[in-house]
Amino acid sequence: GAAPKFPHATDLAMLLRRGHRNQRQDWIDAAVLTLDRMAGGGIRDHIGGGFARYSVDSQWLVPHFEKMLYDNALLAEVYVRAFQVTGQSRHADVARETLDYLCREMLDEAGGFHCSEDADSEGVEGKFYVWTPDQVAEVLGESRSTRFCQIYDITPGGNFEGNNIPRLQRSIDNWAIDWSEDAGELRRQLREDRQRLREARDRRVHPGRDDKVLTAWNSLAIRALAISAAVLDEARYLDVATSAADFILTRMSRPDGRLLHAYRAGQSHLDAYGDDYAYTIEAFIALFEASGDPRWIAQSLRLADLLLGHFEDSQAGGFFYTADDGEALITRNKDWHDGSLVSGNASAVTALLKLSRLCDRTDYLTAAERTLRVAEEVMAGQSAACAALLSGLDTYWNGREQLVVAVGDRESLAAVRPQLWGKYRPALTISWVVGQASDSEGIVALNQQRDPIDPRCTLYHCQDFQCAAPICGDEAIRWLHD
């Protein structure tokens, strides 16, 4: 497309989802091409991790240097999904570097994530991020800097106003082939170089920061961290996600359990909006899928009841952005389209469908159906703007398959989880039993009488709550691999 170019995470996610399901390699290739171009371009911060808000040119080279929490959360998840689909480690590497950036630079000391980092420092846009060859040589020395500058397109003439935005015009693997070097060793050395450059860059004047904590944006980050923890087998991401989720429950909730929208410097305020609830429900479901802890489904059910009670249009279907007891407005709008964020109605559909298939809640299923019906005209006429709704529709039609993974203890869960999530299973409803089914079946109806027969792993493969004979032990592990 033409300039400016924004990352469209929901479009890329839908291409991966439908390409994987329909075995359409051309759709997968389209998503991967864009993901690779963004990962190689200057829109990605190759030194410190994370993505800028958008590219001002058509080549992903020159970013508007502002970094947003929501972009980085959504893109980290898409790169993890690309890793599941393709098995290519470069996608996992981008996701890790993006999440590491969020955990290192954007985390509030109270446990939530800040909104954004500014584009400017010392009154100059991008000054914090750009380099000259001499600056690189000062940090890395002559030999390492010459190689680094060649790989990352750092030249005396510059690629941005006489300075250089690091970018990869060719893959590191291709450079290794040209130089007859081991690709793994070259990547390792370049990681060292980037680390040293980041430490030097940290001594510069940093851009300003918007240190508000917003419930919706934090929930996108929690979801990305939880999914990545499961797929990449990174326990530290799950720890950060759990802490941020607890922060929402303790610091961004009213005494009656309703959510609040924003937090800053110890104070929470503003009643939450519909996307705050929908994103948070999705985030808590992802935490359950990664941890097996049923308390996250209990919290999801509580929030889903609040979403239906205060935001649903009981006449026409769909969800309003504001609550029925919120500030009086001339009209209450409904959010159907994806912009930089995900449509609140699309998120609500996905969350309610998952909960209905975990907890046998027909009221949630009905609310999701009503939302999809009222969104039909939008999906048919403006499909390019509502990929998340289309993914929700895909989940509705193709998401009846359920899987209960029953294990004896949390050590067994940790051993099985990377095998379960090593493959992309977008339409599969996944539940955990850890120990005895009685510990969670009061919350998760799908878990009823699904005790682990073999404590290492027992699988109950179901459809519409009707399950086949359990698969146990080594056979269960093989099933997860196949």
Side-chain angles (χ1 to χ4, degrees), residues 10 12-21 28 77-78 80-87 223 227 231 391 394-395 418-428 430 480 482:
T10 53
L12 297 169
M14 189 180 71
L15 279 168
L16 291 170
R17 179 191 186 97
R18 292 296 300 179
H20 177 72
R21 175 189 302 289
I28 294 171
E77 180 180 336
V78 172
V80 165
R81 296 306 193 194
F83 170 63
Q84 285 181 300
V85 170
T86 68
R223 173 181 161 84
I227 291 169
V231 174
S391 291
D394 180 62
T395 297
Q419 299 170 67
L420 171 65
W421 289 108
K423 290 191 173 183
Y424 189 33
R425 310 175 194 269
L428 183 63
I430 293 173
L480 292 174
D482 294 340

Side-chain angles (χ1 to χ4, degrees), residues 6 25 29 75 78 92-93 113 159 183 238 243 253 257 298 303 316 327 330 343 374 389 401 405 417:
F6 289 78
Q25 189 62 41
D29 290 344
L75 287 170
V78 172
D93 291 341
F113 288 91
N159 58 29
L238 185 57
S243 177
S253 297
L303 294 176
E327 180 184 357
I330 295 174
S343 154
V374 74
L389 270 172
E401 188 181 8
V405 186
R417 180 174 54 206

Side-chain angles (χ1 to χ4, degrees), residues 17 77 81 84 222-231 238 241-242 281-298 300 350-351 353-355 357-358 395 399 401-405 407 410 413-414 416-434 444 446-447:
R17 179 191 186 97
E77 180 180 336
R81 296 306 193 194
Q84 285 181 300
I222 292 165
R223 173 181 161 84
L225 284 160
I227 291 169
S228 300
V231 174
L238 185 57
T242 302
I281 296 165
E282 282 205 89
F284 287 0
I285 294 170
L287 277 172
F288 171 67
E289 292 174 335
S291 70
D293 188 342
R295 76 176 173 113
W296 297 116
I297 298 301
S300 296
T350 301
L353 287 173
K354 279 210 170 185
L355 287 178
R357 288 160 180 166
L358 284 168
T395 297
E401 188 181 8
Q402 301 154 312
L403 184 70
V404 179
V405 186
V407 293
R410 298 213 162 269
L413 182 149
V416 168
R417 180 174 54 206
Q419 299 170 67
L420 171 65
W421 289 108
K423 290 191 173 183
Y424 189 33
R425 310 175 194 269
L428 183 63
T429 297
I430 293 173
S431 184
W432 290 97
V433 169
V434 183
V444 183
L446 184 59
N447 288 356

Side-chain angles (χ1 to χ4, degrees), residues 291-342:
S291 70
D293 188 342
R295 76 176 173 113
W296 297 116
I297 298 301
Q299 292 290 348
S300 296
L301 293 168
R302 182 181 66 80
L303 294 176
D305 289 341
L306 290 170
L307 180 68
L308 265 65
H310 293 286
F311 293 89
E312 188 184 16
D313 183 346
S314 58
Q315 301 300 313
F319 294 88
F320 294 110
Y321 183 68
T322 54
D324 58 352
D325 56 356
E327 180 184 357
L329 302 171
I330 295 174
T331 185
R332 295 169 69 197
N333 70 302
K334 297 175 185 175
D335 176 19
W336 299 112
H337 301 107
D338 303 324
S340 298
L341 295 166
V342 181

